[in-house]
Amino acid sequence: MSNHTPTVLSIAGSDPYGGAGIQADLKSIHALGGYALTCITALTAQNSQGVAHVVATSAQTLSHQLDTLLQDIKVDAVKIGMLANAELINVVADKIAQYSLKNIVLDTVLISSSGHPLLEESAVDCLIERLFPIATIITPNLPEINHLLDKDFHNIEPKIDTIRDAFFKLGAQAVVAKGGHGSESDLATDVLLQPNYPPMPFSSPRIQTSHTHGTGCSFASAIATFLAQGQDLATAVQQAKHQMHQWFTQSESLQLQYQSNLGHRKEPLLHLDMITGQSNEQ
């Protein structure tokens, strides 16, 4: 086993509540044994109730952040989250090409769970055109699938062939279609779609929990960390899915054991045992 610590660059928005975006990525990457680098695309004002305000980073500032890091540090994987607008999308796409970055995990963040836009509608086509073809994998959930494909699916599995064909037509290289928002099963099933392979479902028992804030960010950054460690794509997705189930279980267990003071609506996913300080690192 190599002594090399895998480096993962998170390009995402900042969540002062600590449950999503850059903060969730930091927790996820470090819990899995990686080292997280961060470039902030936006400052948000949010809490457990939702997003109240967003200010996007300037394109110049994001460009300087990326150049300063990438001229100094070798990055093994990249997780991309909130991008806010087309200017920032273009900066990220240009830097990926300039520095020949690999293992790109694109979390297609469009709207917060509380309904606040996190990407300008006019920038969706730019996201598709500039980043879908160069991302190793994209990780849309059911609402994002419906928005990107202009559909109204209620579950992903019955429509998986349509989803697969549509995303590949848009230039995606691989997709993990996340089914957590579906409601027809006691299982939460995500499906990995790759060219020349049949759809590959990964399922885990559905857990009823309030600890859902930042789960998409944590999942995408976990995939990126496993890719940075040298795993193939299918193994990285499988391990990230398994890790998410562990984190959900742990979060709910701690919720039952200790009085929570982490909010009143959507609480953050707990990546570490916040009582004992032990991690779930594998």
Side-chain angles (χ1 to χ4, degrees):
M1 190 73 177
S2 172
N3 291 325
H4 168 71
T5 300
T7 53
V8 181
L9 170 60
S10 168
I11 305 171
S14 173
D15 172 12
Y17 179 49
I22 288 286
Q23 287 82 350
D25 295 340
L26 281 165
K27 295 173 185 177
S28 178
I29 294 162
H30 287 165
L32 297 175
Y35 185 86
L37 307 160
T38 62
C39 289
I40 296 176
T41 59
L43 299 177
T44 72
Q46 61 181 292
N47 56 22
S48 69
Q49 307 297 309
V51 178
H53 184 67
V54 174
V55 176
T57 301
S58 73
Q60 183 182 43
T61 297
L62 180 60
S63 181
H64 283 314
Q65 289 184 78
L66 288 164
D67 281 335
T68 302
L69 279 178
L70 295 171
Q71 289 167 6
D72 182 46
I73 308 295
K74 179 183 180 297
V75 170
D76 297 311
V78 180
K79 181 267 179 175
I80 304 170
M82 176 186 176
L83 288 171
N85 57 49
E87 282 188 305
L88 299 186
I89 292 169
N90 285 323
V91 168
V92 172
D94 290 346
K95 297 305 177 186
I96 289 172
Q98 180 181 344
Y99 292 97
S100 301
L101 300 179
K102 61 180 182 178
N103 294 326
I104 313 296
V105 180
L106 173 62
D107 188 16
T108 50
V109 176
L110 304 177
I111 301 171
S112 74
S113 57
S114 61
H116 196 292
L118 300 178
L119 179 69
E120 292 177 359
E121 183 62 32
S122 60
V124 173
D125 286 345
C126 183
L127 181 78
I128 294 169
E129 292 167 8
R130 293 300 315 273
L131 291 180
F132 276 27
I134 61 176
T136 305
I137 188 169
I138 65 173
T139 65
N141 61 27
L142 182 57
E144 291 160 354
I145 289 169
N146 283 332
H147 192 95
L148 290 164
L149 303 184
D150 193 23
K151 301 294 184 181
D152 188 26
F153 299 145
H154 298 287
N155 289 280
I156 63 169
E157 289 179 273
K159 303 295 184 179
I160 201 62
D161 289 337
T162 300
I163 292 169
R164 172 193 176 110
D165 292 346
F167 274 118
F168 286 166
K169 188 175 182 180
L170 291 175
Q173 302 302 300
V175 182
V176 57
K178 299 183 295 190
H181 286 79
S183 57
E184 291 184 356
S185 172
D186 291 333
L187 296 176
T189 300
D190 303 330
V191 183
L192 174 61
L193 305 171
Q194 300 180 88
N196 305 316
Y197 290 91
M200 189 178 298
F202 298 102
S203 298
S204 60
R206 191 180 294 274
I207 297 174
Q208 298 301 321
T209 178
S210 61
H211 291 271
T212 58
H213 186 74
T215 54
C217 307
S218 298
F219 182 56
S221 53
I223 294 172
T225 306
F226 288 124
L227 289 174
Q229 293 171 353
Q231 302 291 350
D232 63 74
L233 187 57
T235 303
V237 172
Q238 182 181 36
Q239 289 188 340
K241 177 69 172 177
H242 174 72
Q243 189 63 58
M244 290 299 296
H245 181 70
Q246 284 192 315
W247 284 335
F248 276 127
T249 303
Q250 170 182 278
S251 299
E252 192 60 21
S253 175
L254 288 176
Q255 170 80 10
L256 294 174
Q257 283 183 276
Y258 301 96
Q259 180 65 38
S260 172
N261 61 350
L262 294 175
H264 306 288
R265 187 178 175 188
K266 291 194 173 184
E267 297 176 271
L269 191 66
L270 303 181
H271 303 80
L272 303 175
D273 186 327
M274 300 178 77
I275 305 303
T276 67
Q278 296 174 349
S279 78
N280 274 325
E281 184 178 330
Q282 295 181 342

